[in-house]
Each structure stands twice: as C-alpha cells, then as structure tokens.
Amino acid sequence: MESRRIVHIDMDAFYASVEQRDNPSLRGRPLAVGRGEARGVVAAASYEARPFGVRSAMPSLKAKRLCPDLVFVPARFDVYRAVSTQIHEIFARYTPLIQPLSLDEAYLDLTDYLGAYGSATLVAESIRADIRKETGLTASAGVSYNRFLAKLASDYRKPDGLFVITPRMGPDFVAGLAVDQFHGIGPATARKMRALGIETGADLRKLDLPTLTRHFGKSALFYHGISRGIDERPVVVNRERKSLGTEQTYLSDLKDENAAREALGLIATKLWLQAQRKQITGRTVTLKVKYSDFRQITRARTLPASVNSEAVLADVGQALFTPLFPLTPGVRLLGLTMSSLAGTEDASPDSTPQMQLLFEQSPNEAIKNPEVFRSLSLF
C-alpha cells in the first residue's frame, strides 16, 4: 500500500509571536504571555525567553527569577482565535482532511491532495509561505508517512523550519531518540520506562508486545508500533471530544490533608483554564486518586447544570475528596475530569466573559492537547 503523506504544522511560539507582531517594541525581547503576579502562570514564552529556561506552565515569579528582563503581556484570546481561523483557512486551500489539535497546530493528510505540487514537502513549503505572507508569522512543518513521525519532524527544525522523515528513515530515526522525546509518552511514563532500562526508541523496540502489555496495559500496542516507526492512526476531521481532564503525579506522596487539598485546587484551576481555552464545560465532575501502592479509585458527581466557574469545579472536586481522608497510604496522583460536555454558552449566559477575565488574571499554560476541537470555529 502506498505510504500516506501527512504534514504536521505547528506555529512558532504562537501567542508570543502574535504579540511581537502587533507591538514592534516587543520584538527581540524576552516575552511571556500572562500575568507577572504571584499566582500568575506563563501561557507562552517567546524564543528570546527560552534560553533563560522560561517555559509555558511555569509560575510567573519563577520565570521572573530566571529572566529579570522578562516582559509580561496579558493574553488576548480573541486575537489568537482570529489568527488561528486565518491559518485554518490556508490549510483548507490544500486539503479537506484537517485535524486541528489546538489553536496553533494541526495534522493535514495530503495523500490524495498533492495537486500540481506532486510532493507533500512542496505543499508544506507553500503552506508555510502563505502563513508568513498573510499573517506575518512563522510556522514549522513536519512531513512523514504517519502522524507520530510528522509531529516529531515538525519539532526537529524549530523555529521556522521544515523536516521530512521518509519511510526508509523512520525506524532508525525513532531508534535514536530518547523516549521522553516521543509525542504520546509523558513524563510519568518516561520515568517508568527509564526505571525498566528503556532509555531510547531502540531500547523500547527490544521489548515484545506481551512484556509491554504487562507494564503499560492498553498503551502497549501504541508503544510497540511507534518504536518501529509505525502509526496507523488516520487524520480525523471533527472528532467529538467526550471529556476534558488533567492530572498530576507527585514526586513525594501527599499525606497531609491541607497539602493535598491545595494540590487539588491547583488541578481545578488548570482544568478550568483548559476548559475556557476550548470554550467547553461539563455537568459531570470525576475525581481520580492513585495511592502510593498504585491502587486507583474514582469518584464522580453529575450536576443539574454545567459547571460555570472555577469555584464550582473546585468545590465539587473537594467534596468528592473529603470522604477519602485520612490519606492512608499517601497519594501519588490526583486528577479531575469534566464530561457530559457542552459549549460554555450553555453553562451560563455570563460564563464566557467570566472565563475571559479569568484567563487574563491567571492564564493557562499553552499545553497542547491531542484531542480535536469539536467545531472548526474554535480552531
């Protein structure tokens, strides 16, 4: 079967680049999008800030310590969405098979849409040129025969770069990468792999499927494939999101009630900011707790109406948490999820302005989510 032609397009430091484009005085300066206050979080960092160690999801005060000259600007989510819409319109000129991942990145399947270009690489270059000309921003692109490798390729030559991984290159390219560079393997899984002596793609490839299944459960088949450069997932257009959640694994087990409740409060803040970024909320709140002995429990509550504020989300989470005290043994992971999703306009007539204000006061980290936006108007 002929190899697919998949392109992953990723805008370079999207939020920060939009701010520098619109305000020439910010160009060339270390910049963070967010609030530089005690409870602020860096939503995005410019490339000038990154050599200092400033990253998205970092507390603003820590970012200031790392880079005293760091300039903070408040997020303008409506502007980012408008620019994202421009970018999506450019994608649609080349293929209808577009899977948006977030405001600033998407997969494109060009297998049957090479047109006069005859090459996915040339199409990717044309898309990047259109983006630069029409938005004044730069994008990086990865071209390959599957989604996993296209994503790796777009990161390989950032910023403003393009990299191609051919079917012949794929297995060897993966073999030489550290497992924590794999898209789809998070920090906790990478630590578990390293504890098992799995440092690179080549190490991962040595384990057979039954062994991987014993250690990683239902994710084993995916890990088995990507260690060999294999990923059969198609580019999916308009896949409906079923839930939205976030979780945190802790280096030291949580045993103190106050510390555990504070940790859950931070997770509620993170989840609510993700929800406002995606303009969705839900009626069902689920608490996930994993203990130090790896025993895992979940508790859920369905509300009469969708959650319409961070305070409601946090209160429900804490109420679900209360019966679990005292924490014996300690807790190694906490998580919150919202399901029975709806658009934020369905939660409360005033919820959208409230979320915009919350975003400006304490912006979410620009973590990219592998789920697809339900509506292309959100892309």
Short mmCIF file of all heavy atoms in Angstrom, two decimals, residues 105-134:
data_model
loop_
_atom_site.label_atom_id
_atom_site.label_comp_id
_atom_site.label_asym_id
_atom_site.label_seq_id
_atom_site.Cartn_x
_atom_site.Cartn_y
_atom_site.Cartn_z
N GLU A 105 -1.80 24.35 16.02
CA GLU A 105 -1.22 23.20 15.32
C GLU A 105 -2.30 22.30 14.77
O GLU A 105 -3.43 22.27 15.28
CB GLU A 105 -0.27 22.41 16.22
CG GLU A 105 -0.93 21.77 17.42
CD GLU A 105 0.00 20.88 18.20
OE1 GLU A 105 0.85 20.20 17.59
OE2 GLU A 105 -0.12 20.84 19.44
N ALA A 106 -1.94 21.54 13.73
CA ALA A 106 -2.90 20.64 13.11
C ALA A 106 -2.16 19.61 12.26
O ALA A 106 -1.03 19.84 11.80
CB ALA A 106 -3.88 21.41 12.23
N TYR A 107 -2.81 18.46 12.08
CA TYR A 107 -2.36 17.47 11.09
C TYR A 107 -3.13 17.68 9.80
O TYR A 107 -4.34 17.96 9.82
CB TYR A 107 -2.65 16.05 11.58
CG TYR A 107 -1.81 15.57 12.73
CD1 TYR A 107 -2.40 15.33 13.97
CD2 TYR A 107 -0.44 15.34 12.58
CE1 TYR A 107 -1.64 14.88 15.04
CE2 TYR A 107 0.32 14.89 13.64
CZ TYR A 107 -0.28 14.65 14.87
OH TYR A 107 0.46 14.21 15.93
N LEU A 108 -2.46 17.50 8.67
CA LEU A 108 -3.08 17.55 7.36
C LEU A 108 -2.73 16.27 6.62
O LEU A 108 -1.55 15.87 6.58
CB LEU A 108 -2.58 18.75 6.54
CG LEU A 108 -3.09 20.14 6.88
CD1 LEU A 108 -2.64 20.60 8.26
CD2 LEU A 108 -2.61 21.14 5.82
N ASP A 109 -3.73 15.61 6.05
CA ASP A 109 -3.49 14.44 5.21
C ASP A 109 -3.51 14.90 3.75
O ASP A 109 -4.55 15.32 3.23
CB ASP A 109 -4.56 13.38 5.45
CG ASP A 109 -4.23 12.06 4.75
OD1 ASP A 109 -3.50 12.08 3.74
OD2 ASP A 109 -4.70 11.02 5.22
N LEU A 110 -2.36 14.80 3.10
CA LEU A 110 -2.23 15.26 1.71
C LEU A 110 -2.13 14.11 0.72
O LEU A 110 -1.87 14.33 -0.46
CB LEU A 110 -0.97 16.14 1.59
CG LEU A 110 -0.95 17.42 2.42
CD1 LEU A 110 0.42 18.08 2.34
CD2 LEU A 110 -2.02 18.39 1.95
N THR A 111 -2.34 12.89 1.19
CA THR A 111 -2.10 11.71 0.36
C THR A 111 -2.77 11.83 -1.01
O THR A 111 -2.15 11.55 -2.04
CB THR A 111 -2.61 10.45 1.08
OG1 THR A 111 -2.02 10.38 2.39
CG2 THR A 111 -2.23 9.20 0.30
N ASP A 112 -4.01 12.25 -1.02
CA ASP A 112 -4.76 12.35 -2.28
C ASP A 112 -4.95 13.78 -2.74
O ASP A 112 -5.79 14.06 -3.61
CB ASP A 112 -6.15 11.69 -2.10
CG ASP A 112 -6.04 10.20 -1.79
OD1 ASP A 112 -5.19 9.54 -2.41
OD2 ASP A 112 -6.80 9.73 -0.93
N TYR A 113 -4.15 14.70 -2.17
CA TYR A 113 -4.35 16.12 -2.47
C TYR A 113 -3.02 16.83 -2.76
O TYR A 113 -2.80 17.95 -2.34
CB TYR A 113 -5.06 16.80 -1.29
CG TYR A 113 -6.44 16.24 -1.05
CD1 TYR A 113 -6.63 15.22 -0.14
CD2 TYR A 113 -7.53 16.70 -1.77
CE1 TYR A 113 -7.89 14.68 0.08
CE2 TYR A 113 -8.80 16.17 -1.57
CZ TYR A 113 -8.97 15.15 -0.64
OH TYR A 113 -10.21 14.62 -0.45
N LEU A 114 -2.15 16.14 -3.48
CA LEU A 114 -0.86 16.75 -3.81
C LEU A 114 -0.97 17.74 -4.96
O LEU A 114 -0.14 18.64 -5.10
CB LEU A 114 0.17 15.66 -4.14
CG LEU A 114 0.47 14.68 -3.01
CD1 LEU A 114 1.47 13.62 -3.49
CD2 LEU A 114 1.01 15.41 -1.79
N GLY A 115 -1.99 17.57 -5.78
CA GLY A 115 -2.24 18.50 -6.88
C GLY A 115 -1.05 18.65 -7.80
O GLY A 115 -0.30 17.70 -8.07
N ALA A 116 -0.86 19.86 -8.29
CA ALA A 116 0.24 20.12 -9.22
C ALA A 116 1.60 20.06 -8.54
O ALA A 116 2.63 19.97 -9.21
CB ALA A 116 0.05 21.49 -9.88
N TYR A 117 1.61 20.11 -7.21
CA TYR A 117 2.90 20.09 -6.49
C TYR A 117 3.58 18.73 -6.62
O TYR A 117 4.79 18.65 -6.73
CB TYR A 117 2.68 20.43 -5.02
CG TYR A 117 2.24 21.85 -4.78
CD1 TYR A 117 0.89 22.16 -4.70
CD2 TYR A 117 3.16 22.87 -4.62
CE1 TYR A 117 0.46 23.47 -4.48
CE2 TYR A 117 2.76 24.18 -4.40
CZ TYR A 117 1.41 24.47 -4.33
OH TYR A 117 1.00 25.76 -4.11
N GLY A 118 2.77 17.67 -6.53
CA GLY A 118 3.32 16.33 -6.66
C GLY A 118 4.13 15.86 -5.47
O GLY A 118 4.68 14.77 -5.48
N SER A 119 4.24 16.68 -4.44
CA SER A 119 5.09 16.37 -3.29
C SER A 119 4.50 17.01 -2.05
O SER A 119 4.17 18.20 -2.05
CB SER A 119 6.51 16.89 -3.53
OG SER A 119 7.22 17.01 -2.32
N ALA A 120 4.38 16.24 -0.96
CA ALA A 120 3.89 16.79 0.30
C ALA A 120 4.85 17.83 0.86
O ALA A 120 4.43 18.80 1.50
CB ALA A 120 3.69 15.67 1.31
N THR A 121 6.13 17.65 0.59
CA THR A 121 7.12 18.62 1.06
C THR A 121 6.91 19.98 0.41
O THR A 121 6.96 21.03 1.08
CB THR A 121 8.54 18.12 0.77
OG1 THR A 121 8.72 16.84 1.38
CG2 THR A 121 9.59 19.08 1.31
N LEU A 122 6.64 19.98 -0.89
CA LEU A 122 6.40 21.24 -1.60
C LEU A 122 5.10 21.89 -1.14
O LEU A 122 5.00 23.11 -1.03
CB LEU A 122 6.38 21.01 -3.10
CG LEU A 122 7.71 20.60 -3.74
CD1 LEU A 122 7.53 20.36 -5.24
CD2 LEU A 122 8.77 21.66 -3.49
N VAL A 123 4.09 21.06 -0.84
CA VAL A 123 2.84 21.61 -0.32
C VAL A 123 3.09 22.26 1.04
O VAL A 123 2.61 23.37 1.32
CB VAL A 123 1.77 20.52 -0.20
CG1 VAL A 123 0.52 21.08 0.48
CG2 VAL A 123 1.40 19.97 -1.57
N ALA A 124 3.85 21.58 1.88
CA ALA A 124 4.15 22.12 3.21
C ALA A 124 4.89 23.45 3.10
O ALA A 124 4.62 24.40 3.86
CB ALA A 124 4.96 21.12 4.02
N GLU A 125 5.82 23.55 2.18
CA GLU A 125 6.54 24.81 1.98
C GLU A 125 5.59 25.91 1.51
O GLU A 125 5.70 27.06 1.93
CB GLU A 125 7.67 24.61 0.96
CG GLU A 125 8.89 23.89 1.51
CD GLU A 125 9.73 24.79 2.41
OE1 GLU A 125 9.20 25.75 3.04
OE2 GLU A 125 10.94 24.55 2.51
N SER A 126 4.66 25.56 0.63
CA SER A 126 3.71 26.55 0.15
C SER A 126 2.80 27.03 1.28
O SER A 126 2.49 28.22 1.38
CB SER A 126 2.88 25.95 -0.99
OG SER A 126 1.99 26.90 -1.53
N ILE A 127 2.36 26.10 2.13
CA ILE A 127 1.53 26.49 3.28
C ILE A 127 2.29 27.42 4.20
O ILE A 127 1.76 28.45 4.64
CB ILE A 127 1.07 25.23 4.04
CG1 ILE A 127 0.08 24.42 3.20
CG2 ILE A 127 0.44 25.61 5.39
CD1 ILE A 127 -0.26 23.07 3.78
N ARG A 128 3.54 27.11 4.48
CA ARG A 128 4.34 27.98 5.36
C ARG A 128 4.53 29.36 4.75
O ARG A 128 4.49 30.37 5.46
CB ARG A 128 5.70 27.33 5.64
CG ARG A 128 5.61 26.06 6.45
CD ARG A 128 6.91 25.62 7.10
NE ARG A 128 8.07 25.86 6.30
CZ ARG A 128 9.11 26.63 6.68
NH1 ARG A 128 9.08 27.25 7.85
NH2 ARG A 128 10.15 26.78 5.90
N ALA A 129 4.72 29.39 3.44
CA ALA A 129 4.88 30.69 2.76
C ALA A 129 3.59 31.51 2.83
O ALA A 129 3.63 32.73 3.05
CB ALA A 129 5.30 30.47 1.32
N ASP A 130 2.45 30.84 2.64
CA ASP A 130 1.16 31.55 2.73
C ASP A 130 0.94 32.10 4.13
O ASP A 130 0.46 33.23 4.30
CB ASP A 130 0.02 30.60 2.37
CG ASP A 130 -0.05 30.29 0.88
OD1 ASP A 130 0.69 30.92 0.10
OD2 ASP A 130 -0.84 29.39 0.51
N ILE A 131 1.28 31.31 5.15
CA ILE A 131 1.09 31.76 6.53
C ILE A 131 1.95 32.99 6.81
O ILE A 131 1.50 33.98 7.39
CB ILE A 131 1.43 30.62 7.52
CG1 ILE A 131 0.37 29.52 7.44
CG2 ILE A 131 1.54 31.15 8.95
CD1 ILE A 131 0.71 28.27 8.24
N ARG A 132 3.20 32.94 6.36
CA ARG A 132 4.10 34.08 6.59
C ARG A 132 3.58 35.33 5.88
O ARG A 132 3.55 36.43 6.45
CB ARG A 132 5.51 33.75 6.11
CG ARG A 132 6.51 34.89 6.34
CD ARG A 132 7.81 34.63 5.61
NE ARG A 132 8.51 33.50 6.15
CZ ARG A 132 9.37 33.56 7.17
NH1 ARG A 132 9.63 34.72 7.75
NH2 ARG A 132 9.98 32.48 7.60
N LYS A 133 3.15 35.17 4.63
CA LYS A 133 2.70 36.31 3.84
C LYS A 133 1.42 36.91 4.40
O LYS A 133 1.27 38.15 4.45
CB LYS A 133 2.49 35.87 2.39
CG LYS A 133 2.00 36.98 1.47
CD LYS A 133 1.82 36.46 0.04
CE LYS A 133 1.30 37.55 -0.89
NZ LYS A 133 1.10 37.05 -2.28
N GLU A 134 0.48 36.07 4.82
CA GLU A 134 -0.86 36.55 5.17
C GLU A 134 -1.03 36.87 6.65
O GLU A 134 -1.95 37.61 7.02
CB GLU A 134 -1.90 35.52 4.73
CG GLU A 134 -1.91 35.35 3.22
CD GLU A 134 -2.86 34.26 2.75
OE1 GLU A 134 -3.93 34.09 3.39
OE2 GLU A 134 -2.54 33.58 1.76
#
